[in-house]
Amino acid sequence: MHAADLDENLILLMANGDGNAFTEFYNQTSSIVYGFALSILRNKQDAEDVMHDAFIKAYTSAVTYRPMGKPMAWMLTIVKNLCYNRIRSGRIFEDIDEYEDAAVSDELQDTVTDKAILQQALKILDAEERQIVTLYSVTGLKHREIAEIMEMPTGTVLSKYNRALAKMRKELTGDGGKGKGGRK
Amino acid sequence: MTYNRDEITNEIITKSLADAIEDSTPDILKSLRAELNIDSNAVKMANEGSASERAAAYKPVRAKNAAAPERSEQEGISGRQAAKMRSVVYKAASCAAALIVLAGGVSLVNRTGPAFAVVGLDVNPGIEITIDKNEKVISAEAVNEEGQHILSDLKIEKSNVNSACDEVVEAMMDEGYLTDTSNSVLLSVRADDPDKGREIEKEISENLNGFLEDSDISPAIFGQFVETDDELNEFAGTHGISIGKAWLIRKLTDEEDLSVTSDSLLGLSTQELVLLGQDRSVSTGTSYGTPNTSKYVGTDSALIAALEAAGLNREDAQNVKVKFSCENGSIVYSVGFDANSCIYGFNVDALTGMVMLHDSVIPGVSAESPAGIGQMADAIDSLNFNSSGQDAQNNTEHQNTSGNSGNSGSGTENDNNGASNPGEITGDAQDIEDTDPDDKPGDISGDVEDIDDETGDVPGENDSSEQDEPQSDIVPEVKKESGNTTEASDKTDSADTKKESEAKTLNKSDKESDL
């Protein structure tokens, strides 16, 4: 799913109680919503709870949506606010054990799985790096669009994105990665 | 998916993250629908009229996905399961297509769309990347042998263009083409849709700048949106250069202030072209950073060399301008200033600091006035250039050794490029603003006062009688000739010899202060 492909008419139809529009909206955005929540909260259970609350909020707040061509940014803002509310209220788990086993078992092997890469991202990246890399990977949003959502300069987003990927490459390849990671 | 550790790339990381998140996303649609009391077989229409209109607007999307939701709901299949079913169907179709390809031996299925834009990257290696409307790479082609060398070790097809550009410049760094001292990247985008093309150029430029800064290089990204035509394509093809480089050369030759030929510019490296391009503000895109100029002598040294050649002191010079220019395929400082009611123009070799060419002493004409520019141009046009370097018949008559006499005009034209140009000096010698990023401490504005203290020179030192007779003493006999400052100084009279001596003192003290 590319964020730019999300049709904002779905939200307008949801505002009128269109269940099919909600289903389509869910199908197109569920991974993005969950991934973004996971990148902030680092916990599967918390991310799922926020995902649930976010879709409820989106459906019930669809009437307040003003078409501006950025439906994904609207949804991600809902997710971000819910996550930070949750963090502020202290209602979060602090473990990332869910993916720990996969990564540990892979460390001794020459290969690495998707799940282990996700685990590494959750483990070694800081909060902003996780969010930026996740949004870039899952939504296909451009750096400047991510910058708008994250409310930070585009240059900072780019910088953090590049730094995050360099850290990931270093961790996953075990050789520092620079000068090699991008090559076949 | 499982990947070999030694094959991990940025693309794999981002794709893998997306796949892992997709796989681990819980399916909560059913519970959501129940909680929201959404009737699975009906659509509630709170506002019938507007909803119909919105439904009509929504039709294209609905048509594309119409079958799956309805069937899934009727059969009790959740939306997510339906989505996965669609995914399975897609994958099956892809497999079938692949089998057909293998069986029939026809070309591979290309999942990218038609060409939408071409992104050129020039350092010394030149590479052109064709992308589709989703900014995915369709193909990459080398413009020269160095580019071929870079591409031989990369696989960027189907990558996002930003990732592809990162990989290309990273390879250029690895191979030593892109370094701290050779830090310029010429980024050129051309597209049928100019607005979209400019947007892509801006985005890539931002991305590249961030990427290179993180790689401990202070880059100079020179972005441009290129409007191609047959002439440009032919020029690029004839000379074996990229369209982007051809475009920059065209923009530079269009600069009246620069007055260089395309043949002269063809001999320059990308770094040098970008330097000129930035100095003359000819960018048609987004630029970051400044080209490294540490190998050049610096604008203040160039000015001192020019003053020395003219037999003048710094305080004699007004309306000083120093810009980068090109002469015979080399980068030079074009130094211009007014002094004693005359306009002086010099080309100083940027690498050696030697005066290569000086000309255009026009009495009674101000470099700042449009009339001055016109008279200057007329005078230059009327010159009877002589490569042997014979003496001028009088002080408005000159020889020249090349067709680049217009370079001297840099000292006569009003500056409209702003203070950010890397090699530019504007203003009086007493308050010259030197913006060369690579000049060492001890820049001109501070040096002049120090030098005055050392030499005792004061502004207006020349007496009025000398100024009344510019042809004899005050206005030096200036000829167009190639050579160093010593040769030029040999032609001066005793008064000028004194000034030359003072200028050398200035030069020495300036270099000392630089040290």
Side-chain angles (χ1 to χ4, degrees):
Chain A
M1 168 65 196
H2 192 289
D5 296 333
L6 182 62
D7 187 346
E8 68 182 354
N9 283 317
L10 287 173
I11 301 175
L12 301 178
L13 288 166
M14 279 160 53
N16 284 329
D18 187 330
N20 288 337
F22 177 76
T23 298
E24 190 62 30
F25 182 78
Y26 174 90
N27 286 337
Q28 291 192 26
T29 62
S30 58
S31 290
I32 294 170
V33 167
Y34 176 73
F36 188 42
L38 186 64
S39 73
I40 298 173
L41 301 169
R42 291 208 303 168
N43 179 277
K44 184 182 175 183
Q45 188 57 52
D46 287 325
E48 187 170 337
D49 288 351
V50 165
M51 178 187 177
H52 168 271
D53 294 349
F55 279 108
I56 298 288
K57 184 82 175 169
Y59 189 74
T60 55
S61 303
V63 287
T64 67
Y65 178 76
R66 295 288 172 267
M68 291 185 297
K70 295 179 177 178
M72 186 62 82
W74 177 76
M75 186 59 181
L76 290 173
T77 303
I78 291 175
V79 175
K80 185 176 73 172
N81 291 339
L82 287 170
C83 286
Y84 287 130
N85 284 344
R86 200 172 185 86
I87 291 169
R88 274 195 293 272
S89 68
R91 291 183 295 122
I92 55 169
F93 297 91
E94 285 292 345
D95 65 275
I96 54 170
D97 291 341
E98 176 69 25
Y99 301 101
E100 200 73 53
D101 291 344
V104 169
S105 63
D106 279 346
E107 275 174 8
L108 300 175
Q109 300 173 10
D110 290 334
T111 58
V112 62
T113 62
D114 290 339
K115 203 171 180 181
I117 289 176
L118 173 59
Q119 194 275 338
Q120 287 291 355
L122 295 175
K123 188 178 173 186
I124 66 173
L125 302 183
D126 69 30
E128 287 177 338
E129 289 171 346
R130 286 196 309 272
Q131 292 168 48
I132 291 166
V133 170
T134 303
L135 286 177
Y136 189 85
S137 303
V138 182
T139 65
L141 285 169
K142 292 169 183 170
H143 289 110
R144 67 168 182 279
E145 294 168 325
I146 294 172
E148 283 178 27
I149 292 167
M150 303 271 304
E151 296 174 355
M152 57 174 64
T154 307
T156 307
V157 168
L158 283 163
S159 194
K160 287 179 179 294
Y161 171 78
N162 289 320
R163 195 174 299 125
L165 284 186
K167 277 160 77 172
M168 292 280 287
R169 286 211 311 265
K170 181 178 180 181
E171 193 70 24
L172 293 166
T173 60
D175 66 353
K178 185 177 177 182
K180 183 182 178 184
R183 320 291 287 279
K184 73 176 180 182
Chain B
M1 281 284 292
T2 301
Y3 304 96
N4 288 327
R5 284 185 187 275
D6 59 359
E7 288 181 346
I8 299 291
T9 63
N10 290 351
E11 278 292 309
I12 286 178
I13 291 172
T14 52
K15 182 181 178 306
S16 189
L17 272 176
D19 288 348
I21 289 170
E22 167 102 28
D23 289 344
S24 60
T25 302
D27 182 7
I28 59 171
L29 180 62
K30 217 168 188 175
S31 65
L32 283 171
R33 290 183 67 103
E35 192 169 336
L36 291 168
N37 197 24
I38 295 173
D39 181 355
S40 62
N41 293 313
V43 176
K44 293 178 182 175
M45 296 290 185
N47 184 332
E48 198 73 28
S50 65
S52 298
E53 289 169 12
R54 288 168 175 172
Y58 174 44
K59 204 171 179 181
V61 174
R62 298 283 298 166
K64 193 170 70 176
N65 302 303
E70 286 174 13
R71 194 183 58 142
S72 64
E73 283 155 14
Q74 286 166 3
E75 295 175 4
I77 302 170
S78 74
R80 179 145 192 83
Q81 286 168 322
K84 290 205 170 187
M85 283 175 62
R86 285 198 295 274
S87 176
V88 168
V89 169
Y90 169 77
K91 284 173 183 171
S94 298
C95 289
L99 285 173
I100 291 167
V101 167
L102 289 172
V106 295
S107 64
L108 289 171
V109 175
N110 185 0
R111 289 187 189 175
T112 51
F116 184 75
V118 178
V119 178
L121 288 172
D122 281 286
V123 172
N124 179 21
I127 287 168
E128 292 196 336
I129 300 169
T130 305
I131 60 173
D132 66 14
K133 71 179 172 114
N134 294 318
E135 301 181 14
K136 298 284 182 191
V137 176
I138 298 172
S139 63
E141 287 181 18
V143 177
N144 50 26
E145 280 184 22
E146 292 90 344
Q148 220 159 20
H149 176 59
I150 293 295
L151 282 181
S152 67
D153 203 21
L154 289 178
K155 184 170 176 60
I156 56 175
E157 285 78 11
K158 297 188 177 67
S159 300
N160 172 274
V161 67
N162 280 318
S163 301
C165 288
D166 287 352
E167 289 194 32
V168 167
V169 296
E170 188 176 30
M172 288 177 177
M173 280 191 286
D174 289 348
E175 300 297 330
Y177 293 113
L178 193 57
T179 63
D180 278 335
T181 50
S182 179
N183 65 334
S184 297
V185 178
L186 176 61
L187 166 69
S188 314
V189 175
R190 56 187 196 271
D192 289 339
D193 181 343
D195 291 339
K196 184 68 179 167
R198 288 191 174 90
E199 196 181 310
I200 291 171
E201 180 274 321
K202 186 181 177 195
E203 181 193 331
I204 298 173
S205 191
E206 282 179 0
N207 179 68
L208 268 184
N209 185 53
F211 179 78
L212 287 170
E213 281 186 340
D214 276 358
S215 305
D216 297 328
I217 281 186
S218 297
I221 312 290
F222 190 85
Q224 50 182 12
F225 177 73
V226 175
E227 298 167 59
T228 54
D229 52 45
D230 291 344
E231 192 183 340
L232 189 75
N233 292 335
E234 189 181 336
F235 181 78
T238 303
H239 298 286
I241 59 174
S242 67
I243 297 287
K245 221 167 181 175
W247 174 258
L248 178 53
I249 287 174
R250 174 189 280 185
K251 300 301 285 183
L252 287 169
T253 52
D254 285 348
E255 278 287 290
E256 290 179 9
D257 185 25
L258 195 55
S259 297
V260 290
T261 62
S262 55
D263 285 343
S264 178
L265 294 170
L266 277 167
L268 299 183
S269 66
T270 302
Q271 173 90 0
E272 291 167 332
L273 285 172
V274 168
L275 179 65
L276 289 180
Q278 203 170 73
D279 203 36
R280 307 292 165 147
S281 300
V282 301
S283 168
T284 51
T286 312
S287 295
Y288 293 92
T290 52
N292 185 292
T293 55
S294 59
K295 68 178 178 180
Y296 300 133
V297 296
T299 48
D300 49 351
S301 295
L303 175 59
I304 288 167
L307 287 167
E308 189 175 336
L312 294 171
N313 296 317
R314 278 188 172 178
E315 59 268 25
D316 297 330
Q318 308 289 318
N319 302 322
V320 175
K321 290 181 181 173
V322 182
K323 287 186 172 183
F324 282 111
S325 186
C326 170
E327 182 181 336
N328 298 330
S330 298
I331 291 291
V332 297
Y333 289 103
S334 179
V335 183
F337 52 83
D338 290 352
N340 305 321
S341 304
C342 300
I343 299 171
Y344 292 77
F346 296 85
N347 277 355
V348 179
D349 188 293
L351 284 173
T352 65
M354 285 169 43
V355 175
M356 300 171 71
L357 172 75
H358 55 101
D359 58 13
S360 314
V361 181
I362 314 293
V365 178
S366 167
E368 288 298 303
S369 69
I373 295 169
Q375 290 181 44
M376 180 85 156
D378 291 345
I380 291 170
D381 286 344
S382 67
L383 297 179
N384 179 22
F385 297 134
N386 185 331
S387 59
S388 65
Q390 72 183 58
D391 290 350
Q393 296 302 309
N394 57 53
N395 65 347
T396 60
E397 197 171 330
H398 314 273
Q399 303 98 43
N400 200 348
T401 53
S402 78
N404 292 331
S405 60
N407 288 337
S408 62
S410 65
T412 70
E413 296 210 4
N414 293 324
D415 168 47
N416 58 2
N417 290 327
S420 62
N421 295 333
E424 179 184 355
I425 295 180
T426 61
D428 296 349
Q430 286 83 355
D431 57 1
I432 291 166
E433 182 182 358
D434 177 13
T435 56
D436 189 335
D438 294 307
D439 275 358
K440 298 174 181 66
D443 283 347
I444 284 174
S445 56
D447 294 344
V448 170
E449 289 187 7
D450 295 342
I451 292 164
D452 287 349
D453 291 340
E454 291 170 19
T455 63
D457 284 349
V458 290
E461 182 185 32
N462 299 317
D463 62 43
S464 58
S465 64
E466 286 175 329
Q467 290 186 10
D468 289 341
E469 298 174 0
Q471 294 184 14
S472 58
D473 291 323
I474 299 303
V475 178
E477 183 184 47
V478 181
K479 295 175 288 298
K480 293 173 176 294
E481 59 182 323
S482 293
N484 58 29
T485 54
T486 306
E487 290 170 351
S489 300
D490 288 341
K491 308 290 183 186
T492 59
D493 59 23
S494 59
D496 292 326
T497 305
K498 180 189 169 196
K499 290 177 184 296
E500 180 191 340
S501 172
E502 290 168 352
K504 282 180 178 172
T505 305
L506 298 181
N507 196 354
K508 184 184 174 191
S509 64
D510 184 70
K511 284 180 179 171
E512 283 170 354
S513 73
D514 280 349
L515 290 173

